[in-house]
Amino acid sequence: ADISFDDDSLGNAGLAVTWAAGPILTHLIILYVLVSKINHLALLGLGLGACSRNLVLLPFTVKSFFGRDTSTFTNDEVTVGHALDLSPIVFALPAVVLALWGLVVFWNRARRATNYTLTLMLISGVVLGIAVWGLVGPIVLPGGAGFA
């Protein structure tokens, strides 16, 4: 419900660009935090949050490799792949690899920059933020559940 528009109002290229915008920003955040080698906990948290967004593609990627049914997946990368008449795995696999790479690097940076307690709090905060957004997001986003 976060993006609402008439699919027929855009061609396939427009549809692909629209749905690719979010993942591209996510990838840029991960790459920025990776390349900058910043150890500031707030930026590492942002990087971890971006990595966790990409990890939602892990089940799709694994099922694709094992030839299982992936027709129920509606992630942005899947929509982009279908709009461009490409296999969605072309977009999902790099996102998952980037997420796993980022998780390992950001975890190690956080652990070196601070103690284990703060590192675990950082990871817990990212997980809690995603869980809360999963509950609050549909309420505040257009087309969601609303405040009723």
Side-chain angles (χ1 to χ4, degrees):
D2 54 342
I3 296 177
S4 299
F5 61 92
D6 180 11
D7 285 353
D8 296 329
S9 67
L10 300 172
N12 285 346
L15 191 62
V17 169
T18 301
W19 285 101
I24 288 171
L25 181 60
T26 301
H27 301 335
L28 290 174
I29 290 170
I30 296 169
L31 290 170
Y32 172 75
V33 178
L34 278 170
V35 171
S36 68
K37 299 184 178 174
I38 292 173
N39 290 333
H40 191 276
L41 287 181
L43 285 176
L44 290 174
L46 183 63
L48 285 169
C51 288
S52 65
R53 181 265 171 219
N54 281 5
L55 279 181
V56 301
L57 293 163
L58 188 59
F60 171 82
T61 305
V62 170
K63 283 187 169 194
S64 292
F65 278 123
F66 286 110
R68 303 279 194 245
D69 178 31
T70 58
S71 62
T72 59
F73 288 90
T74 59
N75 305 76
D76 296 343
E77 289 80 358
V78 172
T79 306
V80 171
H82 291 149
L84 296 176
D85 202 26
L86 294 170
S87 170
I89 198 71
V90 170
F91 301 104
L93 182 60
V96 169
V97 169
L98 187 59
L100 294 173
W101 179 29
L103 283 174
V104 170
V105 171
F106 301 158
W107 169 267
N108 285 325
R109 280 192 203 164
R111 193 177 43 80
R112 282 193 306 265
T114 183
N115 59 39
Y116 278 102
T117 303
L118 289 177
T119 303
L120 289 175
M121 287 174 60
L122 175 65
I123 301 293
S124 300
V126 169
V127 171
L128 182 62
I130 292 166
V132 169
W133 181 247
L135 296 172
V136 174
I139 293 172
V140 298
L141 290 171
F147 289 103

